[in-house]
Amino acid sequence: MFFDRPESGELAVLVHLDLSAIDSPDDPREFEELALSAGADPVAFIFGQRATPDPKTFVGRGKLEEIHETVEKHGAELVIFDHTLSPSQERNIERELKCRVLDRTGLILDIFAQRARTHEGKLQVELAQLRHMSTRLVRGWTHLERQKGGIGLRGPGETQLETDRRLLRARIDSIEKRLDKVRRQREQGRRARSRADVATVSLVGYTNAGKSTLFNRITSADVYVRDQLFATLDPTMRRVELPNVGAMVLADTVGFVSHLPHRLVEAFRATLEEAANATLLLHVVDAAAENRLHLVEEVQLVLEEIGAADLPHLMVYNKLDLLADMEPRIDRNEAGEPVAVWLSAATGAGCELLVEAIAERIGEQMVSGVLVVPPQHARLRAQLFASNAVQKEGFRDNGDVELQVLLPRSELQRLMAPFREVASAPQWLPDDPESEPRPEDWELE
């Protein structure tokens, strides 16, 4: 965009260092999968160890020479580091290797740019890319580095570099304003669902854990599914009817990854807010992954960053078909509450158990019974139908309406509160008299 670089670059040399300063080193296999997902063709994988990164070139002089020799040997035009490089480190390494250099953040941004399909997703990716690029503009204008004031050197008042920075800031401001509008629209949708007492259940988890496959299985949707990292970027929401509970909205969200760039978290905040404001989180885990505990921790870190770590959640261990002698099941805590479900989204085994567990978790405050509504309170009948709480309707000889209803306890209390002191109040006949609210309880909590 701002400087000349080779258009190809599919032949890539991958570089991964184990830093002793990091307690839990990253999995190099995931790094290779990221490179493949971006369309790179790795021709060599160089490993190394250092106590701390070199402040100038990240790797030492000997390792840099090894990378240079490998690049020349294979004719590679791209070197990808499995680490976050500073702008000066990228610039210094490129100067030494005479080829394009990309760090982990740039690699993930490139994958996101390829996968974004909706207008909102493209805006979010562009915002993250522009913020990342704004610190690296100087590399593209090295031919202007001698430009300065003085006799015979005075220019029009603004260097090309300053012009590009100004244009970048203007574009970033424009995108942020449009994303603020998207955020307000999403907030309006959440308020509408809250008023209608429709629970929102969000799928979260590490990338390629099978969230979209599970989403399609539960909702009969046709969301894009591929066995690759970051197949889903754009959030998809579907309404699902749960037995004995009513409607819920299921949201499929972007997957997480180790060291998810902070710029991406900021850019995708409008999308991730669907998870941060959910009634229940379904944390989908690849049960066949050897390092699944580490992956769970990485997801938890991102949830903390978006303010969703303390939300109610249900663990969903997926890909059970890849494990031997494992049957679908629900794990419960000492109180009998579902805490984990083992299933296979690919085969559908155990998905009915997940629906059952979700119904238990979000249906804890649901009440069921018959409400006898006198004719003069027809407005209450209309309100119950508007909230989709009526399951069956009948009529008595005296004109009273019998409504079999299922709705949240708080909603029932809100609707019945105005009738607490009314002589001809609607009569509530609960299915379970011991656990249902009594007429004297018609007060807002």
Side-chain angles (χ1 to χ4, degrees), residues 6-218:
E7 294 182 359
S8 57
E10 282 75 17
L11 295 180
V13 174
L14 308 184
V15 180
H16 175 88
L17 292 188
D18 283 333
L19 302 174
S20 59
I22 300 178
D23 296 332
S24 55
D26 297 322
D27 185 359
R29 291 174 299 179
E30 178 185 275
F31 174 45
E32 186 173 9
E33 288 180 13
L34 283 171
L36 292 172
S37 295
D41 182 11
V43 293
F45 207 140
I46 297 178
F47 295 90
Q49 280 188 326
R50 279 186 69 89
T52 57
D54 185 280
K56 185 177 181 181
T57 57
F58 195 85
V59 297
R61 172 56 56 183
K63 185 62 65 175
L64 193 62
E65 292 177 356
E66 178 186 348
I67 298 172
H68 190 203
E69 292 173 359
T70 305
V71 168
E72 291 186 340
K73 175 182 176 182
H74 295 280
E77 297 174 288
L78 175 64
V79 175
I80 308 176
F81 281 75
D82 188 20
H83 310 276
T84 299
L85 302 177
S86 68
S88 61
Q89 286 173 337
E90 268 193 37
R91 192 161 57 247
N92 293 334
I93 297 172
E94 280 192 345
R95 186 180 298 116
E96 294 288 337
L97 300 182
K98 304 295 190 296
C99 71
R100 184 183 175 192
V101 173
L102 200 64
D103 66 353
R104 184 183 179 93
T105 299
L107 178 63
I108 294 177
L109 286 172
D110 185 81
I111 296 174
F112 272 52
Q114 295 180 44
R115 304 284 162 75
R117 289 176 174 80
T118 66
H119 178 64
E120 176 192 349
K122 292 176 181 177
L123 281 177
Q124 292 174 137
V125 172
E126 183 181 357
L127 177 61
Q129 285 182 316
L130 290 176
R131 286 174 172 168
H132 182 68
M133 189 182 300
S134 63
T135 62
R136 288 161 166 78
L137 282 179
V138 68
R139 173 174 49 190
W141 292 107
T142 54
H143 62 287
L144 296 178
E145 61 187 4
R146 296 180 182 275
Q147 186 169 350
K148 58 183 179 180
I151 298 175
L153 293 175
R154 293 185 177 91
E158 185 176 46
T159 67
Q160 183 62 55
L161 182 59
E162 290 168 341
T163 301
D164 289 335
R165 282 176 173 160
R166 177 171 52 81
L167 293 175
L168 266 183
R169 285 194 296 268
R171 179 61 179 165
I172 288 174
D173 290 343
S174 173
I175 294 176
E176 286 179 337
K177 289 178 181 177
R178 293 160 79 177
L179 288 177
D180 282 340
K181 182 178 180 181
V182 172
R183 187 175 292 113
R184 290 193 298 270
Q185 290 172 341
R186 289 190 178 278
E187 180 61 30
Q188 288 176 350
R190 282 192 291 269
R191 285 199 298 266
R193 293 196 297 272
S194 177
R195 287 193 297 268
D197 281 305
V198 177
T200 300
V201 179
S202 289
L203 293 165
V204 298
Y206 211 77
T207 181
N208 206 28
K211 295 183 295 298
S212 294
T213 303
L214 182 60
F215 182 86
N216 288 342
R217 179 70 64 175
I218 295 176

